[in-house]
Amino acid sequence: MNIQPYLNDIKEFDAYRRYGKVHRVVGLLLESIGPEVSIGQVCHVHAAKSKKSILAEVVGFNDEKVLLMPYSPLQDIGSGCMVESTRSSLSVKVGRALIGSVIDPLGNPLDGTSKVRGLIDFPTDQMAPNPLSRPRITTPIQSGVKTIDSMLTVGLGQRIGIFAGSGVGKSTLLGMIARNSSADLNVIALIGERGREVKEFIEKELGQEGLRKTIIVVATSDQPALMRIKGAYTATAISEYFRDLGYNVNLMMDSVTRVAMAQREVGLAIGEPPTTKGYTPSVFALLPSLLERTGTNALGTITAFYTVLVDGDDLNEPISDTVRGILDGHFVLDRKLAEKGQFPALNVLKSVSRVMPEITTQEEQQIVQKARAILSTYEENIELIQIGAYKKGTNQLIDEAITMQPRIMEFLRQNVGESISREEAMEQLRQLISRSVR
């Protein structure tokens, strides 16, 4: 037996524990003298009175002092408390036994049960796949939502942004996709949500059927900024683990805007200068590094849906603009459509799936282009139509749009509990458009 590798491990093993002590606490930030650490490593901060410890991550340095951001509230932490280095970055327990669970960003179950056995440690901070190792997206994925499957077809491994203001139905749409998608597994990250909405989403939008093939990572709005950021990293890491096992994974993150806001809090706390609308430079570095981790690799796929909260329904605010430039398409949920009772309130004309031409047939593209042209013609002339200034027979295209627009909108309307295959959705649209051609 060759024992040389074991002897080398023993020789390289560092048996020393490294300690420092808290120098001061400033707002969200802990400042300590020592220990010897590097950016991203996790430390235990030991409270003097309660003899409990909290986890904190190294986020920067100030002269000889270490700047740490806690994963939990700073109760009983004060000047002089011991800081112990773990000499490693954050990792979570992952495995097939995790499917059907609801966990926090550190991998702890939120239902009060003990931790699931048979899991392995997996680092939350990973590199994006090599661009040349990514297979092209050539296969459509079924979402179970008529509008998406017919007019905005999504491919296996595509990354989509769902842009919406508050209360326009994005959580309901995510729940429909989770229940009806043809993916093998869902990983859902609820970042910065209100506490009451978590159980409501699980029971109402997702249901037991959806939960059976889902892992949910929850970081509510009351948790420290670093926990909200790590919620996004943990959900992405879990998706990467299953992708490497050959799964086709759906990652749904609600919302990437709150991840950016949490990073802004961290950046401002460590002294970064605020730039566009108060967002720090690290926010615009975090977004591509996080979003590029999803997609395809040689083993499996991660089809990602990221919701983006649109401030005042402004699609050009900094986070929306940055995310739209990174992802492979964007869906816009329109408040005006929602107010008319249209669900899902997807504005087809403002939405685009960039890989749709690669994954659909020429005939399907022609059908969709015809439907878009009808909706566009109606939209351009809606004021004339509504005030009665347009006379029937003046323009054949407008006449067709007046007749067909209500029928197309009715086709795009879908009940929350309704499930339909992509083939059925395309066939219904095909028949609808063929009537207009006649």
Side-chain angles (χ1 to χ4, degrees), residues 383-403:
E383 290 184 4
L384 292 174
I385 296 167
Q386 287 180 338
I387 65 174
Y390 174 75
K391 292 183 179 179
K392 188 176 180 181
T394 306
N395 185 302
Q396 185 178 353
L397 292 177
I398 299 177
D399 289 344
E400 181 187 45
I402 292 171
T403 303

Side-chain angles (χ1 to χ4, degrees), residues 112-159:
T113 59
S114 58
K115 287 191 176 182
V116 181
R117 294 183 180 180
L119 306 179
I120 63 168
D121 285 315
F122 195 77
T124 60
D125 201 352
Q126 303 277 343
M127 295 293 291
N130 185 318
L132 296 183
S133 72
R134 289 182 183 267
R136 291 178 59 194
I137 299 170
T138 57
T139 308
I141 184 173
Q142 178 179 297
S143 69
V145 179
K146 282 194 291 187
T147 309
I148 296 173
D149 287 339
S150 59
M151 305 279 282
L152 301 163
T153 309
V154 174
L156 274 173
Q158 189 175 352
R159 300 162 305 148

Side-chain angles (χ1 to χ4, degrees), residues 150-208:
S150 59
M151 305 279 282
L152 301 163
T153 309
V154 174
L156 274 173
Q158 189 175 352
R159 300 162 305 148
I160 290 289
I162 300 175
F163 293 74
S166 56
V168 189
K170 59 185 181 303
S171 296
T172 306
L173 180 61
L174 288 182
M176 284 182 69
I177 296 171
R179 290 195 310 273
N180 303 324
S181 170
S182 60
D184 302 322
L185 175 71
N186 300 310
V187 179
I188 301 177
L190 301 177
I191 310 298
E193 289 284 343
R194 303 175 188 89
R196 71 164 182 83
E197 290 182 336
V198 174
K199 195 169 185 180
E200 185 177 300
F201 175 82
I202 294 170
E203 294 182 355
K204 182 182 174 185
E205 313 296 354
L206 191 60
Q208 288 301 314

Side-chain angles (χ1 to χ4, degrees), residues 2 73 96 112 132 145 194 233 262 407 414 426:
N2 183 14
R96 290 184 176 91
L132 296 183
V145 179
R194 303 175 188 89
Y233 276 73
R407 297 177 186 175
Q414 184 173 350
M426 281 306 306

Side-chain angles (χ1 to χ4, degrees), residues 28-30 38-45 53-59 67-75 77 84 86 88-92 104-108 123-125 218-234 263 266:
L28 305 173
L29 209 61
L30 282 171
S38 57
I39 294 287
Q41 287 188 350
V42 176
C43 295
H44 291 286
V45 183
S53 65
I54 66 166
L55 286 175
E57 184 175 307
V58 179
V59 294
L67 304 180
L68 302 114
M69 191 72 70
Y71 288 136
S72 54
L74 293 171
Q75 292 177 349
I77 301 297
E84 180 186 358
T86 64
S88 64
S89 57
L90 183 67
S91 62
V92 291
D104 70 8
L106 303 181
N108 302 313
T124 60
D125 201 352
V218 177
T220 50
S221 58
D222 61 306
Q223 292 185 288
L226 201 59
M227 279 289 269
R228 282 174 267 146
I229 297 169
K230 290 305 170 184
Y233 276 73
T234 296
Q263 181 61 39
V266 173

